[in-house]
Amino acid sequence: MFRSALHTSLALVMISTGAIVGVTVTAGSAQAASNCGQPITGLPLQEGSQGTSVERLQIRVAGFVESGEVLSTDGVYGTRTKEAVRKFQAQYGLQADGIAGSRTVDKIYSLQDSDCTPIHFSYAEWNKCNSTWAGGAVSATAAKANARKSMWKLEALRAKIGNDPIPISSGFRSNSCNAAVGGVSGSRHTYGDAADMPGSQTWRCKLHNGAKRSGFTEILGQGFPGHNDHTHVGMTGSRQWHGC
């Protein structure tokens, strides 16, 4: 709805001022104009490209990986980044050549809200603890950045399992919020990169199995103590997959 309203407002302003006549402003180009301060530039990006734009691209395609794979967001466009881009392109009906040109980046922008989060997830849903993102295991800035990275992986998971909504029952927690709900000490929730997703057992196992192909190293579900009513995903240094 936000993007549609923005599209309409921009079009009316430009037509009324005579700045542009007969040009359609698409959702993608509207987002590209604001870009939440994090534009992906220097297109096309391809093997051998390096820099901040590559890192921003990697964050947005990090959920398009093989089972157990984690795509590094190091700003270096190597073969694994090319394959993640290729999978992203194939998912959304683009030419799957692994090169991030304008059509690929426009598609990313169409999936992105004005604050750089993907359209189907939000900071408000991810953080029901406080408004500052402070008090966790890392700085507020780092916790918010970690949350955004995990949201993009869940956006990929959502697309791969049929675009059914994925509700988040718990995301970021400060240390005090984590203690209040009985969370384990050092929980990934306190780092901002973890999310709990409730639903039926069939649904939770579907999320669990899909998360294996979406770049998560911590996946806890049915049968793991305290996780029989939700699937938990997060990022740990080593793989921890339990349940389903």
Side-chain angles (χ1 to χ4, degrees), residues 58-66 71 84 87 149 152-157 160 210-211 213-216:
Q58 289 169 327
I59 289 171
R60 288 156 177 78
V61 301
F64 291 92
V65 291
E66 298 294 333
L71 182 68
K87 289 178 182 295
K149 289 179 181 180
W152 278 102
K153 292 180 181 181
L154 287 186
E155 184 71 24
L157 171 59
K160 287 186 279 189
R213 299 179 291 108
S214 301
F216 291 101

Side-chain angles (χ1 to χ4, degrees), residues 38-49:
Q38 296 191 2
I40 299 173
T41 59
L43 306 181
L45 299 174
Q46 54 194 314
E47 278 195 276
S49 298

Side-chain angles (χ1 to χ4, degrees), residues 122-134 143-144 147 151 168 170-174 177:
S122 70
Y123 287 130
E125 182 182 29
W126 204 273
N127 181 3
K128 300 172 184 177
C129 172
N130 60 43
S131 61
T132 64
W133 294 81
K144 200 169 184 179
M151 286 185 212
I168 305 298
S170 182
F172 168 74
R173 303 172 190 160
S174 67
C177 284

Side-chain angles (χ1 to χ4, degrees), residues 70-198:
V70 176
L71 182 68
S72 177
T73 54
D74 58 3
V76 178
Y77 204 121
T79 56
R80 296 175 76 186
T81 298
K82 178 180 179 179
E83 183 61 16
V85 170
R86 190 194 66 77
K87 289 178 182 295
F88 173 89
Q89 292 167 328
Q91 178 67 49
Y92 291 105
L94 303 174
Q95 181 181 349
D97 57 9
I99 298 172
S102 58
R103 292 191 64 192
T104 297
V105 172
D106 277 348
K107 183 59 187 179
I108 288 173
Y109 289 149
S110 78
L111 297 169
Q112 176 173 282
D113 275 329
S114 60
D115 60 2
C116 263
T117 61
I119 56 176
H120 296 111
F121 299 92
S122 70
Y123 287 130
E125 182 182 29
W126 204 273
N127 181 3
K128 300 172 184 177
C129 172
N130 60 43
S131 61
T132 64
W133 294 81
V138 294
S139 70
T141 299
K144 200 169 184 179
N146 288 343
R148 185 171 64 250
K149 289 179 181 180
S150 286
M151 286 185 212
W152 278 102
K153 292 180 181 181
L154 287 186
E155 184 71 24
L157 171 59
R158 189 184 194 275
K160 287 186 279 189
I161 62 174
N163 277 310
D164 290 324
I166 300 178
I168 305 298
S169 58
S170 182
F172 168 74
R173 303 172 190 160
S174 67
N175 292 324
S176 59
C177 284
N178 187 59
V181 299
V184 299
S185 177
S187 166
R188 294 309 305 182
H189 288 283
T190 65
Y191 290 82
D193 58 37
D196 294 343
M197 302 169 288

Side-chain angles (χ1 to χ4, degrees), residues 44 49 51-52 146 159 173 180 198 209-210 220 236 244:
S49 298
T52 303
N146 288 343
R173 303 172 190 160
N209 293 325
L220 309 176
T236 51
C244 295

